[in-house]
Amino acid sequence: MKTEIPLSSPDIGDLERRLVMEVLHSGRLSIGPMVERFEQMVAQRVGTRHAVAVSSGTAGLTLIMAGLGIGPGDEVITTPYSFIASSNVIVHAGATPVFVDVCPTSLNLDPKLVEAAITPNTRAILAVEALGNPTHMDALARLAAKHEIPLIEDSCEALGTVHKGRACGAFGRAGVFGFYPNKQITTGEGGVVVTDDERLADACRSLRNQGRAVGRAGTANGQNQTGSWLEHERFGFNFRMNELAAALGVAQMKRLDELIERRQHVASAYLARLSGVRELVLPTVDPETFMSWFVFVVRLGPDYSGEERDRVIRGLRTHEVGSAAYFPCIHLQKPYRDKFGFREGMFPIAESAGRRSLALPFHTRLTEREVEMVAQTLEVMIRREDLTRA
Ligand SMILES: Cc1ncc(COP(=O)(O)O)c(C=O)c1O
């Protein structure tokens, strides 16, 4: 069934089409000038010295783990309230994810609990701007500095957000953005690692390109500057971004301010319309945050169950309004229960949020009429649950 109001929708315009066609006409589809241009634009926007474009946000996080040498025996403190990729990269590195509960308002890692979880085996803190909210990232950066461990900033949901004067992605030793089509900008699939650490940037450049030795970039014939195409210095991956994706990225970066403005407009419309619905907990934005808005996620009040939330989501979908449960807790997902023995009750704040939250349709072209339709349908679905209880 077609969803009349989709959960998300990329905003692709003439500029994107033109730049992608330029790449197709050039015949240069990988390791070319678009990737470099895209990297420069992202680095400049975030204010970091280096940006390394990769094939996905997950690939970017994987490179940082490898670049920092994180592996078996290491613990990485992270959040259970996130998209699963932020923890999977820790497991794939052979390290142990140490989950810590979140703060009930921001739904981000609670810095006090993080500090209490630091042990001699802690090799990094991997923090996420959950749902794009940057609250506590500054405190986590201070904590990481105090304990001399790197902060890895998963900013996949926060491109364009600025917190206390600092761009998301620039708080950690390294940050990562993701460009799946529901994000602030998209490259179809893609990601970028940003960092001021030159050695780490070089390691990421080499690792994304099968471990080849790297000067700053590939040369025109596809070889790197220092060695042959078939010489490899370390165990690498193919996590390169292709030129078509980078062309999309360049166009989207040029339009980033316009895209953010539209997202802010839609978020304001939702906040105004839903502020009187007392069964809902709405997202809060710190006064010192300029928010680029990844999604619009609301929570049902604390007395609603997961089953009731799921019925509300199904009811919205039946009425052709896109909705999804953002986020089910990572530690309660099957592979985490099976491998580490996590169970319900271990991180009660994250679990409560995970049970009660739902994403509403959110994209740049959502009209005020559609916001009204979503809000009305949501109210009806909540009332239906209340009546079933009574
Ligand atoms: C918080 C978070 N981390 C990591 C990722 C992974 O990004 P990708 O889907 O580009 O691999 C995403 C994106 O979906 C995300 O939201």
Side-chain angles (χ1 to χ4, degrees):
M1 187 177 65
K2 178 179 155 289
T3 302
E4 194 183 321
I5 309 181
L7 195 54
S8 71
S9 172
D11 188 328
I12 303 298
D14 288 341
L15 184 61
E16 284 81 351
R17 281 184 274 274
R18 189 161 61 71
L19 291 187
V20 170
M21 285 309 287
E22 252 179 47
V23 170
L24 285 174
H25 285 301
S26 79
R28 179 93 177 265
L29 304 187
S30 186
I31 313 184
M34 276 296 181
V35 167
E36 274 184 62
R37 209 168 138 195
F38 183 47
E39 289 177 339
Q40 278 161 15
M41 290 173 92
V42 175
Q44 194 177 15
R45 177 79 187 207
V46 182
T48 52
R49 287 173 56 214
H50 306 282
V52 182
V54 289
S55 51
S56 70
T58 309
L61 288 168
T62 303
L63 291 187
I64 296 173
M65 300 294 294
L68 291 174
I70 294 172
D74 294 335
E75 294 174 359
V76 179
I77 299 175
T78 194
T79 171
Y81 188 77
S82 170
F83 180 62
I84 196 165
S86 57
S87 298
N88 284 354
V89 296
I90 300 170
V91 179
H92 281 303
T96 305
V98 175
F99 291 116
V100 157
D101 213 344
V102 297
C103 142
T105 36
S106 68
L107 304 182
N108 284 332
L109 278 175
D110 181 332
K112 281 199 286 304
L113 298 179
V114 171
E115 184 152 37
I118 293 173
T119 74
N121 294 329
T122 306
R123 271 298 314 277
I125 300 168
L126 195 159
V128 179
E129 278 117 5
L131 310 173
N133 185 343
T135 304
H136 306 313
M137 206 47 96
D138 54 327
L140 292 167
R142 282 194 299 275
L143 191 63
K146 178 177 153 193
H147 291 270
E148 298 183 349
I149 44 180
L151 172 67
I152 300 169
E153 188 183 352
D154 180 343
S155 301
C156 281
E157 303 179 354
L159 179 73
T161 286
V162 179
H163 183 57
K164 300 188 178 174
R166 208 148 148 195
C168 286
F171 284 94
R173 172 79 68 83
V176 178
F177 298 108
F179 305 126
Y180 184 74
N182 64 350
K183 299 294 194 300
Q184 286 88 342
I185 70 164
T186 187
T187 58
E189 296 281 359
V192 163
V193 174
V194 286
T195 183
D196 282 333
D197 180 336
E198 181 154 355
R199 270 181 52 191
L200 182 57
D202 279 347
C204 289
R205 283 178 198 284
S206 169
L207 287 164
R208 80 170 162 184
N209 191 21
Q210 303 285 15
R212 294 183 173 97
V214 184
R216 275 277 73 90
T219 58
N221 64 3
Q223 292 194 339
N224 57 50
Q225 290 165 349
T226 49
S228 109
W229 187 242
L230 293 178
E231 272 171 35
H232 308 269
E233 288 198 323
R234 56 184 113 202
F235 296 108
F237 308 87
N238 178 0
F239 285 163
R240 296 186 298 265
M241 175 178 276
N242 70 65
E243 285 284 286
L244 295 159
L248 265 178
V250 167
Q252 294 259 286
M253 280 303 289
K254 279 182 189 273
R255 297 180 54 218
L256 181 60
D257 289 326
E258 168 206 333
L259 297 172
I260 290 175
E261 210 181 299
R262 290 197 203 170
R263 296 178 92 88
Q264 288 174 335
H265 181 78
V266 176
S268 301
Y270 267 131
L271 287 169
R273 174 59 181 80
L274 296 174
S275 62
V277 183
R278 60 182 172 74
E279 295 87 349
L280 291 178
V281 182
L282 299 182
T284 48
V285 179
D286 184 296
E288 289 185 85
T289 293
F290 173 88
M291 186 84 166
S292 66
W293 289 98
F294 162 51
V295 280
F296 197 85
V297 168
V298 297
R299 262 178 288 166
L300 297 177
D303 52 332
Y304 287 88
S305 68
E307 292 73 34
E308 288 172 314
R309 187 277 313 268
D310 291 346
R311 275 198 298 271
V312 169
I313 291 176
R314 281 200 297 276
L316 286 166
R317 289 183 183 162
T318 307
H319 290 80
E320 301 197 13
V321 173
S323 183
Y326 276 21
F327 290 110
C329 281
I330 297 172
H331 67 285
L332 299 180
Q333 304 266 1
K334 184 178 184 307
Y336 286 84
R337 286 182 189 258
D338 290 353
K339 185 174 171 74
F340 300 102
F342 291 121
R343 40 184 208 289
E344 247 136 300
M346 295 178 103
F347 308 104
I349 300 170
E351 289 168 26
S352 168
R355 264 195 310 271
R356 297 185 290 118
S357 47
L358 62 146
L360 300 179
F362 191 71
H363 56 86
T364 53
R365 296 192 182 95
L366 206 69
T367 64
E368 297 203 1
R369 202 182 128 262
E370 287 173 318
V371 167
E372 180 57 33
M373 278 170 64
V374 173
Q376 279 184 20
T377 316
L378 180 60
E379 282 180 312
V380 171
M381 292 307 137
I382 295 173
R383 211 165 305 131
R384 196 177 67 174
E385 289 308 313
D386 293 345
L387 286 172
T388 316
R389 280 177 173 188

